[in-house]
């Protein structure tokens, strides 16, 4: 069955029971229209990658070679990553947030080598920070990303994005030496950066439509990044975090209660995704909206004050 996803205006009412999570700066709300019943599987999984059909026929499972072959799973991965980055960025002191980009002087196309290089670098970094910053500790979110161009052997060339929480400063030459695989590394302080914009920088290209727009340079870059999704192997972890990074958990509550608990919210954006089948019948609908809290220093002019009339 072919599913068609249509974007539409969000519809919320005060009596809606919604799912939400909040950070120090924002509140994210969603409402799923229908809880679809779980379909009972007609197959029985066997050993050695085989399965038995309802008719008793034994077949071999076909495994995909790339993550892009399972777009639903890939979408969930990037949604979870976006929430994790935003939550960690929002809940860390403003000056104690850094972003590293670790590249290679020579092409790294082996994912096992990439993981080994990161693990050894992380040990060196922890030792250095503990010895030179009064036993300081830090948390991290690590993202493996392929370069835009392939290596000479037509395999992806890899680099690493590393978000550090709890570290105020590190010398660029020191970090380059600790990494040890390039002439220089890149360090960007995240002070004063909107947590949601930080998260979207690393994940926003996931939902970018691929229609070219030569006058929009940022969109062209997002399209280029989205094409790199085809380079991720099936069993390769796109990102990982330290154990001290707390996962985001959705809670359930009536919408009116949330608004009463967090007054003077400002809408960042709101929309819905309506999913229809081949007969153009709606089979599910997901409404969502993102709001800035009153105390957030990232409140901007032009955001509308919260009003239920927006969704009538």
């Amino acid at each position: 069955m072919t599913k068609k996803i249509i974007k539409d205006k969000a519809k919320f009412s005060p009596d809606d029971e919604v799912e939400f999570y909040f950070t120090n700066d924002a509140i994210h709300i969603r409402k799923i229209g229908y809880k679809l019943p779980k379909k009972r599987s007609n197959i029985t999984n066997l050993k050695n990658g085989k399965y038995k059909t309802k008719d008793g026929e034994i077949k071999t499972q076909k495994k995909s070679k790339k993550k892009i072959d399972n777009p639903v799973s890939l979408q969930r991965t990037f949604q979870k990553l976006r929430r994790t980055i935003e939550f960690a960025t929002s809940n860390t002191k403003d000056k104690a947030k850094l972003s590293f980009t670790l590249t290679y002087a020579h092409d790294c196309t082996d994912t096992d080598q990439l993981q080994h290089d990161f693990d050894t670098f992380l040990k060196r970094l922890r030792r250095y920070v503990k010895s030179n910053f009064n036993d300081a500790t830090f948390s991290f979110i690590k993202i493996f990303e392929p370069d835009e161009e392939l290596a000479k052997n037509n395999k992806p060339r890899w680099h690493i994005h590393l978000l550090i929480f709890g570290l105020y400063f590190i010398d660029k030459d020191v970090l380059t030496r600790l990494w040890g695989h390039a002439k220089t590394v890149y360090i960007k302080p995240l002070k004063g950066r909107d947590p949601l914009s930080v998260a979207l920088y690393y994940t926003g290209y996931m939902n970018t439509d691929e229609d070219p727009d030569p006058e929009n340079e940022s969109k062209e870059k997002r399209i280029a990044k989205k094409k790199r999704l085809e380079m991720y192997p099936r069993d390769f972890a796109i990102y990982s975090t330290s154990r001290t990074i707390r996962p985001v958990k959705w809670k359930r509550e009536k919408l009116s209660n949330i608004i009463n608990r967090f007054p003077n919210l400002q809408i960042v954006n709101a929309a819905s995704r309506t999913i229809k089948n081949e007969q153009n019948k709606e089979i599910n609908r997901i409404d969502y909206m993102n709001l800035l809290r009153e105390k957030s220093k990232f409140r901007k002019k032009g955001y509308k004050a919260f009003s239920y009339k927006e969704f009538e």
Side-chain angles (χ1 to χ4, degrees):
M1 180 177 65
T2 303
K3 295 180 180 179
K4 182 168 60 174
I5 299 176
I6 303 172
K7 292 185 179 181
D8 200 357
K9 189 175 181 180
K11 294 181 180 179
F12 286 98
S13 70
D15 293 329
D16 286 339
E17 186 174 358
V18 298
E19 295 179 320
F20 75 100
Y21 75 91
F22 60 87
T23 68
N24 285 340
D25 296 287
I27 298 178
H28 303 279
I29 297 173
R30 71 183 181 187
K31 180 181 67 173
I32 301 176
Y34 315 112
K35 292 289 186 181
L36 299 179
K38 291 185 177 180
K39 294 183 179 179
R40 187 173 180 179
S41 176
N42 291 325
I43 66 172
T44 302
N45 289 320
L46 306 174
K47 296 180 180 180
N48 301 322
K50 297 183 182 296
Y51 66 94
K52 184 167 64 174
T53 67
K54 184 179 180 180
D55 299 327
E57 185 179 0
I58 296 178
K59 294 185 177 181
T60 302
Q61 295 178 355
K62 294 181 179 180
K63 288 189 176 181
S64 58
K65 295 182 179 180
K66 298 179 179 180
K67 285 188 179 296
I68 198 69
D69 295 331
N70 190 344
V72 174
S73 176
L74 191 61
Q75 181 83 19
R76 289 173 180 167
T77 296
F78 274 88
Q79 288 175 347
K80 186 176 179 181
L81 175 58
R82 177 180 59 78
R83 292 193 290 265
T84 301
I85 293 174
E86 184 200 5
F87 194 80
T89 305
S90 177
N91 289 280
T92 304
K93 290 181 180 180
D94 200 31
K95 295 181 180 179
K97 296 175 286 192
L98 299 173
S99 171
F100 301 160
T101 301
L102 310 175
T103 61
Y104 283 86
H106 303 287
D107 295 348
C108 178
T109 60
D110 186 335
T111 54
D112 290 336
Q113 184 65 47
L114 180 71
Q115 183 64 57
H116 176 268
D117 291 343
F118 174 76
D119 291 341
T120 54
F121 160 75
L122 186 62
K123 291 178 182 178
R124 291 193 292 266
L125 179 62
R126 288 193 189 281
R127 285 197 297 265
Y128 177 82
V129 170
K130 186 175 182 179
S131 300
N132 293 273
F133 295 98
N134 299 321
D135 288 334
T137 59
F138 61 85
S139 304
F140 71 85
I141 300 173
K142 174 262 296 175
I143 308 164
F144 286 150
E145 188 176 84
D147 293 349
E148 185 173 356
E149 296 181 359
L150 297 174
K152 293 181 180 179
N153 58 4
N154 288 325
K155 291 184 177 181
R157 302 185 304 176
W158 296 95
H159 62 272
I160 303 171
H161 293 295
L162 187 62
L163 302 178
I164 296 291
F165 305 97
L167 190 62
Y168 290 81
F169 169 82
I170 187 168
D171 184 78
K172 187 174 182 179
D173 292 336
V174 170
L175 188 64
T176 301
R177 175 171 54 81
L178 293 174
W179 171 234
H181 297 285
K183 293 181 180 179
T184 187
V185 297
Y186 303 93
I187 303 175
K188 180 188 297 183
L190 297 178
K191 177 183 176 182
R193 294 291 300 272
D194 179 354
L196 183 56
S197 69
V198 173
L200 291 175
Y201 176 82
Y202 294 101
T203 64
Y205 54 85
M206 182 68 194
N207 293 320
T208 301
D209 65 87
E210 297 187 24
D211 293 331
D213 185 354
E215 296 184 1
N216 190 333
E217 184 178 352
S218 62
K219 182 177 179 180
E220 292 296 304
K221 290 181 179 179
R222 291 197 300 271
I223 292 174
K225 273 202 168 190
K226 185 173 183 177
K227 291 180 180 179
R228 302 183 204 177
L229 294 174
E230 299 180 356
M231 301 180 187
Y232 284 102
R234 175 180 176 271
D235 296 321
F236 182 55
I238 293 176
Y239 80 97
S240 66
T241 72
S242 58
R243 295 179 181 179
T244 47
I245 294 290
R246 290 183 292 167
V248 173
K249 295 183 179 180
W250 290 90
K251 300 179 181 180
R252 294 186 66 86
E253 196 169 334
K254 186 179 288 188
L255 179 58
S256 58
N257 294 342
I258 299 173
I259 303 306
N260 291 334
R261 286 173 58 197
F262 304 99
N264 300 320
L265 293 168
Q266 286 188 340
I267 298 173
V268 178
N269 53 44
S272 74
R273 298 169 66 235
T274 301
I275 304 173
K276 296 186 177 183
N277 60 15
E278 292 176 327
Q279 289 74 39
N280 207 35
K281 180 181 178 181
E282 181 178 313
I283 58 176
N284 211 338
R285 177 188 176 100
I286 302 173
D287 296 275
Y288 64 89
M289 59 180 169
N290 303 313
L291 308 105
L292 283 179
R293 295 173 65 174
E294 182 179 27
K295 73 173 191 174
S296 173
K297 64 180 179 180
F298 301 105
R299 290 167 74 99
K300 302 171 184 176
K301 294 180 180 179
Y303 283 177
K304 299 177 182 178
F306 182 85
S307 170
Y308 289 123
K309 294 181 180 179
E310 293 288 331
F311 309 103
E312 291 179 351

